[in-house]
Structure formats: C-alpha cells, structure tokens
Amino acid sequence: MLSARNIAALGFMTFAMYLGAGNLIFPPYLGYQAGDNFLSGMAGFLLTGVGLPAIALVIVAWVRGSDNLTAALPKPLATGFWVMLFIVIGPAFIIPRTITVAYQFSLAPFIGDSGLIPFSTVFCLAAILFSLYPGKLVDTLGKWLTPMLLTILTIMAVVALLYPSGQVEVASGPYATGAMAEGMTQGYMTMDALGSIGFGWVIFRAIEGMGVKCPKAIAKYTFIAALMYATAMALVYLSLAYIGVTSANLGSSFANGGEILTAFTNAHFGAFGTIILGSVLVLACLTTAIGVTTAGSEFYSRSFSKITYPKSVWVIMVLSGLIANVGLAQLLEVTLPVVVALHPIAIALLLIAPLRYQLSQVAVLAVVATATVFGCIDAAHILGAMPATVDNALTANLPLYHYYAGWILPTVAVLVVGLIVSRITGGRYCVDNNASLNRS
C-alpha cells in the first residue's frame, strides 16, 4: 500500500508531465474568443483535452502497461510504432519546442535571441540530470517541481478572480454559434492522448520504484494518478481560460494565449510579471521534457539490448538541443504531419487493446490501417494541404471531417465489423510475450 503522500506525489508527477507550454497557452485564447459562451466552450475542451488523455491512462492501467497497447500487432509493426512515436514527441518535435518556448517567455524579452544557445545548454543539462534517475522521478516532479509550478499558477488564478481585467465580452468566431463543438475540437488538437500512451511507461516504472509489484495494484494506482491529473488539469485550464474571458481591458488584438498571459502578468505584477510568467513556462516545459525523455529512454532500454537507459537520455537531449538551435522550423514542417497522423493510430490502439483477445490479427491490422489512412486525410486537412475540390467533397460526405476527426467513424465501423467477423469465424489470437500473436 502506498502512503497518501506518495499517492499525491504520483498524481502531481503525472500532472506535471502533461502540463507543457501549449497547455498553458491554449485555454486563455479559448476564453478570450468564447466570451459569454465560456462555459460551454470549456465543457467541450475539457471533454477532449482532459477526458480523452485520462481515459487513455485508464486503458493503459486496464491492459497493465503501455507495451500491451501494441500487443495485438506483429512485433515489427509494434516496435516501429513506438520508435516513431518517441522520435516525433521527443527530439523531433516536443522537446525542441519546449526549449524554444521556455526561452521565448523567460530570457528573450530581456536579451533577445542571443542567449538561446547557453539557455539550451543549461535546460538540457537540467533535464538530463533529472531524467538520469527515473527512480527519483516522483520525488523530483511530484514533491518539488510541481508544487512550485502549482503555487505560481494558484497566485495567478487568485489575482484573476479578485481583480478581473475586464468585463466578459460577446463570443466571437466559431464560439459564437458552436462553442462546445469548437471547444471539443481544440481539446482534441492538444493531442495529449499521445502523451498518455508514452507516459504510461514512466508511471508504471515509478509505481514499481515505490515497491509495488502486484499488477492489479499498479493498475489501481495508475487509475488514481489519472483521476488526480484530470482534476488538477481541469482546474488549471478553467483558471487560465478565466484570465482570457476577463482580458477585455488588456488589449483587443491578441493572436494567441501567450500574448494574453504576458499582458495579464504585466498588468498585475509589472516587470516582475515577466519573471513570473517565464518561471511558469520554464517549469512547465522542463517537466514535460523530463517526462518525454524518461518515457522514450524507458522504451529504448527495454526494447533494444545494446541501448542503455543513460545513453538514451543523453542522445535524446543532445539531439533536442541541437535541433532547437539549428533547424526546428524546418523540421516542424516534416514532423507536424506525422504527429497529427499518429494521433488517430494511438487512439485506435487504445480501442483495440481491451478487445485484443476477441479480434483476429487481420481485424487488428484492418482497424489500424483505417485509422492510418483517415488520420493522414485529417492531417492534410489540418495543415491546409487538401485540394479544394476534395476538401469540399469530404466536408459534405465524411462525418466529423469538419472537426478534424473524420477518422473516428470509419475506424469504429471497421472495429465493430472485425469483432463480428472474428467471432463468426473463430479467428482469435492470444498474446505471446506482450509483442506478438500466435493462433490459439
């Protein structure tokens, strides 16, 4: 049995890994646009931006580990999926962005772009130092960094409640007519479900490091961590969105949530506000970088005998630091479509995992292939690369395509058909070594 303190630290650690810079910037802009439709917009955002990742963590707990999410796939495909996932959410996408965003909101306002290289060096060394000791990750994130982060966010929330920066304005843009649907779309676009299946590696290892070895107990504590993450993240999102809702007197032409937070902290805390906001974003980016690095290194060290955990940590962070300083803008043009396309595949695997004993391998591959094809279509739509005639046809004929989720109904339909056919034909499979399937 874990003590209440250790359970709280586990929940805080889970929360910290999710809370990146993007999670701080999305809600204020939502509130700014949603105006008097703030509650319905946030309800939609919380359903997909918090509910979906939390459900993903629950499924990870249910199947007893992230590696079991791909147990229904042939081993080469399963390994390929994880390698691609940890590359794009690691050194090719998430971590370099955490470095540049942390710098943008901390030192850049004072010294411009000249300090990015030394900042990146210090940031990466700090992330390496924390990541090299995964057994102490609960202490690092759950007992130290997260409380500091939450303290600063609480101060900002209290100030926003006591001294609002303006009256609630009328909703604008898509929030004027469909606030909840737009909120759900924006919550989905955080793509934190990808984080859930990656962070599952870290959470299970952290619980084992506390001395818990029983699979059922590990699953139970993972579920508790998911519940704590969802509660804390929902409160943070609501507080940040309220800052956006009441930002009328701060300006009238904000382009993103970062500008709103900058104006808010400057208005209420003066020049010290820049330091406060910078501290929040640096801590948020650092905790996310630590979580992603640890998750990727756990996978590589378990899956490839010649790759040690420390070596993986160093390689991931060195590559991330180089990319942040040399070619992040160019790399994002390549990696962003991959990240967008991976999201439907990840959710499809979450749907498959609890049913993997009832599906034939052909059915499993059909579901994943469907999610892949339609996920690529949604990626092209999100990135504005879909030809106009095709885009109009899909908007008219493919449900949810307008909300960048056209993959959902085809994938679920193939899953249902696969279940029916597998039961009729008796073509079921059992898992062997959590990676490959053999006919039972």
Side-chain angles (χ1 to χ4, degrees):
M1 292 288 292
L2 294 181
S3 66
R5 183 182 180 187
N6 282 336
I7 292 174
L10 179 66
F12 283 149
M13 179 200 78
T14 304
F15 164 80
M17 291 191 297
Y18 281 95
L19 188 65
N23 302 84
L24 293 172
I25 291 172
F26 271 132
Y29 197 56
L30 184 154
Y32 171 68
Q33 290 184 302
D36 55 355
N37 288 336
F38 157 71
L39 291 178
S40 56
M42 277 307 297
F45 185 85
L46 294 177
L47 278 174
T48 52
V50 177
L52 187 58
I55 290 171
L57 269 186
V58 170
I59 294 176
V60 168
W62 185 1
V63 300
R64 300 180 184 178
S66 290
D67 48 349
N68 285 325
L69 291 175
T70 52
L73 293 176
K75 188 173 183 178
L77 285 180
T79 302
F81 169 79
W82 287 113
V83 169
M84 182 174 292
L85 174 73
F86 284 120
I87 287 175
V88 298
I89 71 170
F93 187 76
I94 296 296
I95 302 177
R97 284 197 68 179
T98 64
I99 296 170
T100 55
V101 170
Y103 178 76
Q104 178 186 354
F105 285 95
S106 57
L107 295 184
F110 301 101
I111 61 175
D113 296 334
S114 60
L116 180 58
I117 292 177
F119 176 86
S120 300
T121 302
V122 174
F123 185 98
C124 290
L125 286 174
I128 289 170
L129 179 63
F130 289 129
S131 300
L132 282 175
Y133 302 97
K136 296 182 178 180
L137 202 61
V138 172
D139 288 331
T140 302
L141 295 184
K143 296 179 181 179
W144 293 102
L145 293 182
T146 309
M148 291 170 58
L149 179 57
L150 285 175
T151 298
I152 299 173
L153 287 172
T154 300
I155 292 172
M156 292 173 62
V158 171
V159 170
L161 287 171
L162 295 179
Y163 307 102
S165 302
Q167 300 296 319
V168 177
E169 300 289 326
V170 177
S172 61
Y175 291 97
T177 55
M180 187 168 186
E182 182 63 18
M184 291 179 69
T185 301
Q186 295 303 317
Y188 170 79
M189 291 298 293
T190 65
M191 300 191 184
D192 278 350
L194 282 175
S196 291
I197 66 174
F199 294 151
W201 294 83
V202 181
I203 295 169
F204 268 60
R205 174 67 179 271
I207 296 172
E208 289 176 344
M210 294 176 174
V212 179
K213 303 301 180 184
C214 173
K216 287 187 177 179
I218 293 175
K220 181 184 77 172
Y221 290 125
T222 304
F223 175 80
I224 293 173
L227 184 62
M228 293 181 66
Y229 143 75
T231 302
M233 189 65 82
L235 291 173
V236 168
Y237 279 161
L238 286 168
S239 300
L240 292 172
Y242 184 74
I243 290 176
V245 170
T246 57
S247 63
N249 294 342
L250 298 175
S252 59
S253 58
F254 296 116
N256 56 63
E259 293 182 2
I260 295 172
L261 290 179
T262 299
F264 172 82
T265 52
N266 284 337
H268 290 284
F269 303 101
F272 184 61
T274 303
I275 299 175
I276 293 176
L277 181 60
S279 300
V280 170
L281 286 164
V282 168
L283 283 173
C285 290
L286 182 61
T287 55
T288 298
I290 293 168
V292 173
T293 301
T294 304
S297 299
E298 289 282 358
F299 163 73
Y300 292 127
S301 61
R302 285 191 188 188
S303 303
F304 304 100
S305 58
K306 293 184 179 181
I307 299 179
T308 64
Y309 180 87
K311 183 187 294 184
S312 178
V313 169
W314 277 96
V315 170
I316 289 172
M317 287 309 305
V318 169
L319 285 175
S320 299
L322 290 173
I323 291 170
N325 283 274
V326 177
L328 179 59
Q330 293 82 357
L331 189 62
L332 287 179
E333 295 180 4
V334 178
T335 56
L336 184 57
V338 179
V339 173
V340 174
L342 273 177
H343 196 237
I345 301 173
I347 298 176
L349 291 172
L350 289 167
L351 295 174
I352 290 170
L355 303 170
R356 65 190 187 277
Y357 295 111
Q358 283 74 49
L359 288 167
S360 69
Q361 193 170 55
V362 172
V364 168
L365 293 175
V367 174
V368 173
T370 303
T372 302
V373 171
F374 283 91
C376 290
I377 291 173
D378 282 329
H381 182 203
I382 291 169
L383 299 169
M386 188 67 70
T389 54
V390 177
D391 184 70
N392 292 334
L394 290 172
T395 300
N397 298 290
L398 181 60
L400 302 180
Y401 174 78
H402 177 71
Y403 299 107
Y404 310 111
W407 64 272
I408 292 179
L409 291 183
T411 303
V412 172
V414 172
L415 177 62
V416 172
V417 171
L419 278 170
I420 294 172
V421 173
S422 296
R423 292 191 176 188
I424 292 174
T425 61
R428 303 179 189 177
Y429 289 77
C430 63
V431 178
D432 180 28
N433 295 325
N434 294 326
S436 61
L437 301 174
N438 298 303
R439 185 172 290 278
S440 59

